[in-house]
Amino acid sequence: MTTRTENLLANRPTISSAKIYDTMSADERFQNKTLRPIVKMQHDLLIAVFNNYIAKHKNVFSELSLQKQLDYIDNAIHKDMKFRNSVKGMVIGQFTVEEYAIYIQNSSALNKRMMNIVKERYINSIQLFTQSEVLQAV
């Protein structure tokens, strides 16, 4: 019988560009070994969650200029605590118990890294947040 840890690790994608070196800080190692693969694995869910967020906030996102859309994403990630905590939960829920033990030792710095990765993923996927996509998500 496989354990939860084995199942979680087996389901994570490999990110060839996320290298692990002996000279890395513990936070950077955690980011590349744990956070990046989890965020990549959760991509579709994160997109659906942001589409729902847009819909619940009057669907104004697609009417904004590109710079305002970027500001909207930044605001959602860094200032809307309910949304931020929801996203954090989606990532933390994919941690192994061992990873969680590492996470709680420096959660503040790791949360910052986590949110920056999610923000970059949203920015790189901005074309998925169009009006028609939002309406499908509702």
Side-chain angles (χ1 to χ4, degrees):
M1 185 162 110
T2 58
T3 66
R4 179 180 184 275
T5 296
E6 292 168 331
N7 287 332
L8 287 171
L9 296 175
N11 286 324
R12 288 189 194 158
T14 302
I15 302 175
S16 58
S17 63
K19 304 291 185 199
I20 308 294
Y21 300 108
D22 292 339
T23 57
M24 286 181 163
S25 69
D27 288 353
E28 190 173 5
R29 185 176 294 112
F30 188 83
Q31 170 185 290
N32 289 345
K33 187 176 176 208
T34 302
L35 295 178
R36 288 190 186 285
I38 290 173
V39 171
K40 183 174 183 176
M41 182 181 70
Q42 296 288 69
H43 174 80
D44 292 340
L45 179 60
L46 290 167
I47 297 300
V49 165
F50 195 69
N51 273 327
N52 183 59
Y53 180 86
I54 291 168
K56 288 194 174 207
H57 290 86
K58 301 185 172 75
N59 283 333
V60 298
F61 186 82
S62 62
E63 298 165 11
L64 300 173
S65 68
L66 178 59
Q67 184 56 52
K68 292 286 186 187
Q69 288 179 341
L70 297 175
D71 293 343
Y72 190 100
I73 290 169
D74 188 66
N75 188 61
I77 291 290
H78 294 296
K79 297 206 169 75
D80 187 327
M81 286 302 129
K82 186 175 177 185
F83 180 75
R84 180 183 173 93
N85 288 337
S86 177
V87 170
K88 280 194 316 194
M90 286 178 238
V91 175
I92 293 169
Q94 295 298 315
F95 287 176
T96 65
V97 173
E98 295 80 11
E99 289 167 338
Y100 183 72
I102 294 167
Y103 167 78
I104 59 175
Q105 292 173 10
N106 197 9
S107 61
S108 181
L110 293 172
N111 284 339
K112 186 179 279 192
R113 287 176 181 268
M114 181 191 313
M115 291 299 107
N116 284 332
I117 293 168
V118 171
K119 177 182 162 186
E120 286 304 311
R121 185 156 286 269
Y122 282 155
I123 289 169
N124 292 334
S125 303
I126 203 163
Q127 72 279 3
L128 299 177
F129 306 126
T130 63
Q131 187 68 32
S132 61
E133 290 288 327
V134 172
L135 291 176
Q136 290 174 6
V138 174

